[in-house]
Amino acid sequence: MSPRKRVAHIRWKPKSSATPVKKAKPRAGSRSKQTAVLPLHEELFRELLVVADERERNQIISSRPSLFTVSVVQQLSEAVRGQLRIEPRQALKLAQSALFIARSIQDPAALGSALRSNANARHMVGDNRESLELSNQALEIFRQLGDKSEIARTLNASIQPLILLGDYQAAFRAAAEAKTLFKQLRDNRHLGHVQINLGNIFHRQDRFEEALACYENAYKTLLSLKDTEGLAVALSNMSVSLISLNDFDRALLTYGRARKLCTRHKISILLTQTDYNIAYLYYLRGEYGRAIELLRQTRQACEENGDAHVLALCDLDLSEIYLELNLSDGAAGAARESVERFHALGMGYEEAKSVTNQAIALGQQGRCEPALELFRRARAIFVQEKNQVWPWLIDLYRGLVLLEAGRDFEAKRYCNDALGYFRTAHLPSKTVLCDLLLSELALRSGDRESARTYCEKAVSVLSSDLPILQFQIEFMFGRIEESLGKSQDAYDHFRKARDGAESLRSKLYREELKIAFIKDKADVYEHLVDLSLSGRVPSAGPAEAFAFMDQAKSRNLAEVVFSNIFSTSHEGAEPSKSGHRLRELREELNWYYRRIEIEQLSADANNRDRIQDLQAHATLRENAILRSLRDLPHSEAPPLASFVAGEASVSKIQSGLEDGQTLIEYFGIQDRLVAAIISRDTFEIVPVTSISRVSQIVESLRFQFSKFQLGAEYVRRFYQSMIRAANGHLKSLHDELILPLQKHLSAKHLIIVPHGLLHHVPFQALTDGDKYLIDSFEISYAPSAAIRDMCGKRRINKDSNSLIFGLPDQIAPFIRDEVEIVADILPNARVYMDDQATEAVLKEQGRLAQYIHIATHGKFRADNPMFSGVRLGESYLNVHDLYKMRLPADLITLSGCATGLNSVLAGDELVGLARGLLAAGPRALLLSLWDVNDESACLFMRHFYTQLISGCSKVNALAQAMREVRNFAPHPYYWAPFVLMGHA
């Protein structure tokens, strides 16, 4: 669980009590930035805003002796105040010009005003130490002059830099003196501004109720004065405190009022900060997609207007969201960026929070000791900052990391320490986290009653809409009731937890975020299946168990498939700046892929270092692409359904089966493997075997297949012994996976829905010792029963057009022969070879083809499966690229190496090329489970397409082709790599 951090409050920079600053029209050539200038010297102001450096600025001013007056300093200072809320970097240029003139004319009041303008501008661009030094210089001048109003205004301006630098006592002293002086002067407007900054001090120390009271008092004071900007700041900061106090609805309503004021009066910096806080509000409510979208927009605005503080905060918030979604690599990267930004800004408090997120990311990756070291570093900074909350929160996160490391005693000690503080501080979400952690520790030790007590305390504290905590509470209650033998109660809690996880997941816009999010939520399905099959839950049974089994698989892929059943195009509008950058990164990545391939094909024995260097550069681009994809506007992201799709009831699946078809869906429960067997008129779930036993056999089989990489001479010498060894492992798998189901398998066509490691098992090659499974059955595969059902309902091209790509090389020269053979068999074939076989051609011609055949090299990426791809003429086509395509074919064949391999992730298993292809719209896929032999693949495709075009079904053509190739090459490595997936 990532830290629930405090949202940034908006800092107040008071305007002069003089006449309001006029806003000039945008300059020529500018689309959105406005420049605040006074009527006098407008041309000069424009020149000063575009100067390159200090020397050029001083020359411009020195060439006009008439500028060296107090009046011009006042005009420039006034322009600074107006420009601060629009473009701080431009405001700094004007402030530096005012300071140059003021020092030249040696007028104390003008110098003090110019120094304060520079302090304000330095603060807005993030240079708080310099800002404070300039404020102190101005304050000394105004004290010598005895000007109470200027002293008070300067003190008020110094409060926010003092807060950000952690000097809270000095900030309180400045606020107290400023309040006293403004009261003496009866200046209620500036008194309201001091109240806002006083609230900021309290908020920084997590004293949220006191902060809220200050903001409310400021709002009441400023309302009668019609101080628009002051009211907007007070409203926005009230919302920040309401968020921290978990009053979400009131916070969102208050933000709306603040945003209207900012928009109406064009206060751009304040509007950016308000949008940032709204984004964090969406995150807290579990609306991760909306939060990321708004943070993307806010980061772009910050880069344009120079708000370094909020830019750093956006990185910090993104790291938190990625932590919540289990994207630990992305979280660590965003946290590192924010650490660097906050360190440069001299903001120890935010730097410490960023370090904390780095530590949590390392903890998620199982790197306990480095994580604990970072926690110690972060805690020391928080103590130095005199923060009351975060040192205890660090202890909570220490406890979580230690829990994962199995160091329960240390975890309990840290958690109890943190809980004692959170209860007295009335911080409910943090109290709930402590209670949940202690409940987990109690359950581990067998103390079920204490576990229940802690969980009940969590419920009593949780009074707000915090969906991620509600999921965890329900899941914990379910485990406790299950351990006490109260199966119905446990089932009810797990159902609620499942509903909560689905609700949270369905709000995510980005596909890869959804996959990551569901990883630690998948256990709930396992518990539901187990209880449904136990016979101890009156309201559940085998039918409910099957529904949960299928729901646990490829949930997000089901939404993609469902949303594309009736879609006609994935094409979007003109891409944004982010979209163009994404295209540039893809082009760079393709260049590195190609360079790696050239080096790997090279005969140079000393190129290992070059390959490693190229791979490092490619990895950097891959990570940048993932970040860009997460940041893409929703309108440019892959389309997803906005609802939960793919509910698979037994009756629904039975209605989609034909006579002679049986669906076998495997599912793992801890170390047990069960299988649901469904035909048109029968349904049963039976125990199969242990997962650990199957895992050992699968690893042995993969080792046998890897021997084909030892060279032709080795294969020739040991070919017969290699066949015997492989068949021995295949028989063992048959005995474990098929024999327990034998009496239920009277159908002709078996539809296999694997689970976990079974995605790597070639069921067609399993043998009983006399014959292979493909000799008795036709076999196809599906990621889930629901996805197969949906693929069967797709609208596909029925015109007999075929699209064929071929990319032969020295490793796979038979690809050219394969393409010629397939082109002679398939109807109306359009053939594209080598550099002509491009992504653009596939996107354009693939829309019209009934059959698509691509013969090339495939690449499965176990480290980053979404970058699994196949080589085309000018690029590598990966999963993300396929999401953007519309390929409504009856069959897509990837005749390459390992094109059917997928990473097996809990809750959304199928992550690889098959995922992208199924999303693109075909009814069925023909893929390979391992690196295929070039010559046998060519022979296989000849027999497969000949049978298919002659009128055979896909599964029948597949079975006949396998038998034909087996006559030529008996080892399963040659004849069994291809699998049909989807509605075959």
Side-chain angles (χ1 to χ4, degrees), residues 70 251 287 324 381 470 509 538 562 700 711-712 754 769 858 949:
V70 172
E287 299 182 64
E324 191 64 63
I381 299 174
Q470 289 177 333
Y509 291 156
F562 193 94
S700 298
I949 297 304

Side-chain angles (χ1 to χ4, degrees), residues 756-769:
L757 60 88
L758 298 190
H759 282 281
H760 304 301
V761 172
F763 280 82
Q764 60 272 14
L766 303 190
T767 177
D768 60 5

Side-chain angles (χ1 to χ4, degrees), residues 821-874:
I821 290 169
V822 173
D824 285 340
I825 299 172
L826 290 179
N828 302 321
R830 295 188 177 187
V831 178
Y832 296 87
M833 298 292 293
D834 302 313
D835 291 343
Q836 295 180 334
T838 66
E839 182 178 337
V841 171
L842 179 61
K843 183 180 292 186
E844 179 183 356
Q845 300 293 330
R847 298 168 183 261
L848 310 174
Q850 182 179 6
Y851 302 108
I852 299 175
H853 182 96
I854 302 174
T856 182
H857 286 295
K859 177 175 60 177
F860 173 66
R861 291 284 304 277
D863 63 318
N864 204 336
M866 296 296 275
F867 282 101
S868 298
V870 292
R871 182 167 66 86
L872 295 184
E874 59 182 15

Side-chain angles (χ1 to χ4, degrees), residues 635-691:
S635 59
E636 296 181 33
L640 297 176
S642 60
F643 47 85
V644 177
E647 296 293 332
S649 66
V650 173
S651 59
K652 181 179 180 181
I653 299 306
Q654 285 180 322
S655 66
L657 294 173
E658 300 175 3
D659 290 333
Q661 290 182 329
T662 294
L663 183 140
I664 305 174
E665 178 151 351
Y666 291 93
F667 191 80
I669 307 170
Q670 296 180 352
D671 192 43
R672 293 183 291 127
L673 194 67
V674 299
I677 307 169
I678 305 179
S679 66
R680 283 189 63 88
D681 51 12
T682 63
F683 163 64
E684 190 167 356
I685 297 180
V686 299
V688 180
T689 185
S690 71
I691 295 174

Side-chain angles (χ1 to χ4, degrees), residues 871-905:
R871 182 167 66 86
L872 295 184
E874 59 182 15
S875 64
Y876 265 83
L877 186 73
N878 65 32
V879 178
H880 289 295
D881 301 323
L882 288 165
Y883 279 164
K884 302 173 187 176
M885 293 192 178
R886 179 67 178 155
L887 305 173
D890 186 33
L891 176 67
I892 296 178
T893 298
L894 287 189
S895 175
C897 298
T899 55
L901 280 181
N902 298 279
S903 181
V904 180
L905 302 180

Side-chain angles (χ1 to χ4, degrees), residues 136-294:
N136 288 336
Q137 293 177 29
L139 187 60
E140 183 178 353
I141 291 172
F142 291 133
R143 288 192 191 280
Q144 291 175 357
L145 294 174
D147 190 330
K148 290 184 178 181
S149 177
E150 296 298 338
I151 292 171
R153 289 177 57 202
T154 306
L155 286 167
N156 192 31
S158 70
I159 294 174
Q160 193 63 30
L162 286 168
I163 293 173
L164 295 178
L165 293 172
D167 195 346
Y168 304 122
Q169 294 307 313
F172 276 122
R173 288 195 299 270
E177 186 179 354
K179 281 181 65 176
T180 299
L181 290 172
F182 284 135
K183 285 180 179 178
Q184 292 175 2
L185 296 167
R186 297 182 180 180
D187 187 347
N188 289 333
R189 182 167 174 271
H190 284 99
L191 188 60
H193 300 165
V194 176
Q195 281 290 108
I196 291 174
N197 279 339
L198 183 60
N200 291 348
I201 306 173
F202 286 127
H203 197 288
R204 179 77 168 195
Q205 296 182 314
D206 290 340
R207 296 160 65 177
F208 304 127
E209 292 180 351
E210 294 167 275
L212 181 60
C214 288
Y215 299 141
E216 289 174 339
N217 287 336
Y219 182 80
K220 292 175 183 176
T221 300
L222 298 173
L223 186 61
S224 61
L225 299 173
K226 297 182 180 179
D227 183 342
T228 301
E229 188 171 347
L231 290 170
V233 172
L235 283 170
S236 189
N237 288 2
M238 285 166 58
S239 303
V240 171
S241 294
L242 289 167
I243 288 176
S244 300
L245 293 168
N246 297 328
D247 193 345
F248 293 141
D249 292 336
R250 188 178 165 200
L252 191 57
L253 181 64
T254 308
Y255 269 135
R257 293 164 62 193
R259 201 178 194 286
K260 284 182 181 179
L261 281 172
C262 296
T263 304
R264 187 183 308 135
H265 296 279
K266 300 180 180 179
I267 313 171
S268 59
I269 293 289
L270 185 55
L271 179 62
T272 299
Q273 294 172 342
T274 301
D275 283 344
Y276 157 77
N277 286 329
I278 294 174
Y280 197 76
L281 174 60
Y282 284 139
Y283 160 58
L284 288 176
R285 300 190 73 169
E287 299 182 64
Y288 303 111
R290 295 182 71 178
I292 292 172
E293 176 79 2
L294 194 50

Side-chain angles (χ1 to χ4, degrees), residues 24-40:
K25 295 181 180 179
R27 297 177 307 228
S30 174
R31 293 181 298 167
S32 60
K33 295 179 181 177
Q34 295 174 305
T35 306
V37 298
L38 294 178
L40 297 176

Side-chain angles (χ1 to χ4, degrees), residues 708-726:
F708 283 87
Q709 308 303 317
L710 298 177
E713 178 59 25
Y714 180 92
V715 172
R716 187 189 63 77
R717 289 181 59 194
F718 299 104
Y719 187 66
Q720 293 301 321
S721 63
M722 289 170 67
I723 293 178
R724 288 193 297 271

